[in-house]
Amino acid sequence: MKLRCTEKPQTAAKKASRGTEKAQDEGRRFLSRPVLVLIALVAVAFLIYSMISIISIRSQIRERKAELDDLNEQITVQEIKNADIQKLYDSTGTDSDFSTLAEQIARDDLDYIKEGERVFVNVAGD
């Protein structure tokens, strides 16, 4: 008596699906490693680019904040000067007194001169 190994009859659909599964597995094996390496490299490159961009932007922000602080300080100083000049103008009463005061400030603080005047500068520093 002969014994036979009997397999259950498989449907054509199951056989076809097994064939496509094997082809997909082979395709995955063939494509998966290079594709995954490529995706990983692109992701790493994007992360490095993002980090460099963030660092660059933060340094620009720091520079702009310092610049803004300097400008705010200059604004404050100018507002104080304007308030002082307004007080002087209000206290003098006449325009001639104010023009004399403005001329004095222009000569002393801003180094202005009148037309036709000669200025002598002591270069020795004595």
Side-chain angles (χ1 to χ4, degrees):
M1 187 162 117
K2 284 186 173 181
L3 292 176
R4 250 201 247 171
C5 179
T6 59
E7 291 183 17
K8 293 183 181 178
Q10 296 180 356
T11 62
K14 281 188 179 180
K15 286 182 181 179
S17 69
R18 275 192 178 175
T20 57
E21 286 176 6
K22 285 183 181 179
Q24 287 177 352
D25 287 344
E26 288 176 4
R28 282 187 194 146
R29 286 185 197 143
F30 179 71
L31 294 177
S32 68
R33 183 160 296 238
V35 170
L36 288 176
V37 169
L38 182 64
I39 290 172
L41 288 174
V42 169
V44 168
F46 178 73
L47 288 174
I48 290 172
Y49 172 76
S50 297
M51 289 172 51
I52 290 171
S53 296
I54 289 171
I55 291 169
S56 172
I57 290 171
R58 282 188 177 196
S59 67
Q60 289 177 359
I61 288 172
R62 249 185 260 117
E63 290 172 3
R64 299 292 186 248
K65 281 185 179 180
E67 196 175 310
L68 179 64
D69 291 341
D70 289 343
L71 290 174
N72 283 333
E73 185 177 329
Q74 289 176 4
I75 288 171
T76 304
V77 168
Q78 190 61 45
E79 286 175 347
I80 291 170
K81 285 181 180 180
N82 289 350
D84 289 344
I85 290 172
Q86 187 64 40
K87 284 181 190 176
L88 288 173
Y89 181 75
D90 292 341
S91 67
T92 56
T94 63
D95 286 339
S96 64
D97 291 338
F98 179 72
S99 63
T100 306
L101 180 63
E103 182 182 330
Q104 189 62 37
I105 290 172
R107 286 177 177 273
D108 295 341
D109 295 340
L110 303 175
D111 295 328
Y112 280 22
I113 59 170
K114 286 185 176 181
E115 284 187 40
E117 284 185 327
R118 287 190 178 179
V119 177
F120 296 98
V121 179
N122 184 359
V123 293
D126 293 337

